[in-house]
Amino acid sequence: MANRIIVTGGAGFIGSALVRHIIGSTADQVCVVDKLTYAGNLESLAAVSSSDRFRFEQCDICDKEALDRIFADFLPTHVMHLAAESHVDRSIDAPGEFIQTNIIGTYTLLESARKYFSSLDEAAKAAFRFHHISTDEVYGDLVNDDDFFRETTAYAPSSPYSASKAASDHLVRAWKRTFQLPTLVTNCSNNYGPYHFPEKLIPLMILHALDGRELPVYGQGLQIRDWLYVEDHARALYLVATRGKPGETYNIGGHNEKKNIEVVKTICSLLDELSPRADGRSYAEQIVFVSDRPGHDMRYAIDADKIARELNWKPQETFESGIRKTVLWYLEHKNKWCARVLSGEYRMERLGKGGK
């Protein structure tokens, strides 16, 4: 029997990749719930929006009345919760928005899910899952070069963003313990790939480079991140939602630790090859170092052995293959998707607003 999956934040970067995977690779139905803030873009769902298994609801996850209506109408078997404010720099400038969406929004969604869950018969309750998608940033940073984030690693968030996500993780686990809502949590490393909003490191560097602008790197670019190709992440998320054990946490990583400066130089090298500068010089000459972000964590690294062992998942893309695909995608879409995002046009012309 096909699943009926609510995906909150489904018009965002990771959410849209997940929705494209579900519609493209399964027989399941999807209801995207998204407020359509600046990071939500229905154009990222254009490839699947005509499917009769796709539905869109513009909704703030803090609006319980709207959520209750969606649950009652769509009758989900699964909820996959990705809706969140996610940019660290923005959380430093305006932390209140992160508290509201990531904490209050998650609480509100949990309460709507709990109300709906209590109305189900025993068979439907046994099948229902609430999957909360989180980040490795809740763990803080790693001190030892040979250490990794594991599912048992203590939380030590460093930014308003990661603190708000840590709080939402705790809420989800509490609703499992107290109310027996069948929840799962995943914590992922840095995602990259097509349809990534241009404020994030990789798309920002690609587009700045092509526009002849400076490539700003925090500090000396020595911060280390584990990079996960977004389509690999989408596959992992679906596996956890449909095959994971309620109450469990699964860490999802790409096995690709890179210093930020390495990532930027790799992008420059690929652009030198694929779209050379008119003057024949390297894009790397556009790199500049800027003052570091307050509270900037130095190293993240995921131990993804549990999901590999229990759900037989591993990333298909290496960093080398994934970053080449990503650069090629941005080159192909620079004057289409990227231009509309950068101009704000995508917010003025919603595709199929209101859904089916």
Side-chain angles (χ1 to χ4, degrees):
M1 183 178 296
N3 299 307
R4 300 174 61 84
I5 305 175
I6 287 176
V7 179
T8 72
F13 169 48
I14 299 173
S16 64
L18 173 63
V19 173
R20 293 192 303 271
H21 171 73
I22 295 171
I23 297 296
S25 302
T26 79
D28 295 346
Q29 297 185 48
V30 176
C31 177
V32 169
V33 173
D34 202 295
K35 185 180 178 181
L36 294 181
T37 63
Y38 78 95
N41 187 351
L42 285 173
E43 294 184 18
S44 301
L45 293 168
V48 297
S49 62
S50 62
S51 170
D52 60 5
R53 294 182 289 114
F54 173 87
R55 169 175 170 178
F56 174 72
E57 294 278 355
Q58 185 170 356
C59 173
D60 185 340
I61 57 169
C62 294
D63 184 345
K64 189 170 188 302
E65 183 178 346
L67 289 175
D68 287 345
R69 175 186 59 78
I70 292 167
F71 272 89
D73 184 43
F74 187 66
L75 303 175
T77 58
H78 296 71
V79 176
M80 300 183 73
H81 176 36
L82 296 96
E85 297 286 349
S86 66
H87 192 239
V88 175
D89 287 351
R90 288 178 183 264
S91 81
I92 294 170
D93 295 335
E97 296 175 14
F98 289 71
I99 303 303
Q100 183 68 20
T101 299
N102 298 355
I103 301 178
I104 303 302
T106 298
Y107 157 74
T108 306
L109 182 66
L110 282 166
E111 282 294 88
S112 286
R114 181 164 74 97
K115 176 182 177 181
Y116 169 74
F117 181 72
S118 69
S119 72
L120 300 176
D121 61 30
E122 292 306 310
K125 283 183 176 178
F128 184 80
R129 299 291 184 269
F130 184 106
H131 177 190
H132 176 62
I133 290 83
S134 190
T135 171
D136 59 358
E137 296 195 36
V138 298
Y139 299 124
D141 58 0
L142 293 163
V143 176
N144 299 319
D145 291 343
D146 58 350
D147 200 6
F148 294 87
F149 294 139
R150 297 177 175 84
E151 287 80 3
T152 55
T153 299
Y155 278 26
S158 303
S159 69
Y161 161 60
S162 56
S164 67
K165 287 298 290 184
S168 66
D169 292 8
H170 291 318
L171 288 173
V172 170
R173 293 189 177 101
W175 260 242
K176 169 68 170 66
R177 178 76 178 264
T178 302
F179 302 115
Q180 291 76 54
L181 187 69
T183 66
L184 306 107
V185 176
T186 51
N187 299 86
C188 69
S189 57
N190 281 36
N191 279 228
Y192 70 102
Y195 299 101
H196 206 175
F197 196 80
E199 70 185 356
K200 299 300 180 78
L201 177 66
I202 287 177
L204 182 75
M205 293 298 117
I206 295 170
L207 297 175
H208 273 213
L210 293 171
D211 287 343
R213 301 167 66 184
E214 290 183 341
L215 307 180
V217 176
Y218 280 131
Q220 296 300 308
L222 302 181
Q223 301 86 1
I224 297 171
R225 300 292 182 263
D226 174 27
W227 292 95
L228 173 65
Y229 192 65
V230 70
E231 293 176 12
D232 280 332
H233 190 198
R235 290 190 302 105
L237 293 177
Y238 184 77
L239 279 174
V240 170
T242 56
R243 291 173 43 194
K245 181 180 177 182
E248 293 294 320
T249 298
Y250 300 88
N251 280 352
I252 307 171
H255 307 299
N256 292 306
E257 285 187 64
K258 301 288 180 184
K259 294 177 181 176
N260 285 347
I261 190 62
E262 292 180 78
V263 173
V264 176
K265 288 183 176 179
T266 298
I267 291 168
C268 291
S269 295
L270 283 167
L271 289 174
D272 288 342
E273 172 196 343
L274 299 169
S275 183
R277 279 176 38 161
D279 61 9
R281 298 165 71 176
S282 174
Y283 287 99
E285 295 184 24
Q286 296 168 221
I287 295 173
V288 297
F289 296 99
V290 299
S291 298
D292 209 349
R293 169 196 290 159
H296 205 169
D297 293 331
M298 281 303 297
R299 176 173 174 259
Y300 302 155
I302 285 277
D303 179 347
D305 285 351
K306 180 177 178 178
I307 191 172
R309 182 176 64 252
E310 296 188 7
L311 300 181
N312 196 31
W313 175 89
K314 64 179 181 179
Q316 294 179 354
E317 301 293 343
T318 64
F319 183 73
E320 291 71 25
S321 65
I323 195 65
R324 176 174 284 271
K325 286 183 176 181
T326 302
V327 170
L328 284 168
W329 188 89
Y330 277 92
L331 286 171
E332 181 181 346
H333 292 83
K334 181 178 184 294
N335 297 321
K336 303 172 187 174
W337 186 89
C338 298
R340 288 173 60 78
V341 168
L342 292 170
S343 70
E345 230 181 315
Y346 75 108
R347 300 195 71 181
M348 295 180 281
E349 299 177 20
R350 300 298 191 186
L351 296 182
K353 187 174 179 180
K356 300 174 182 176

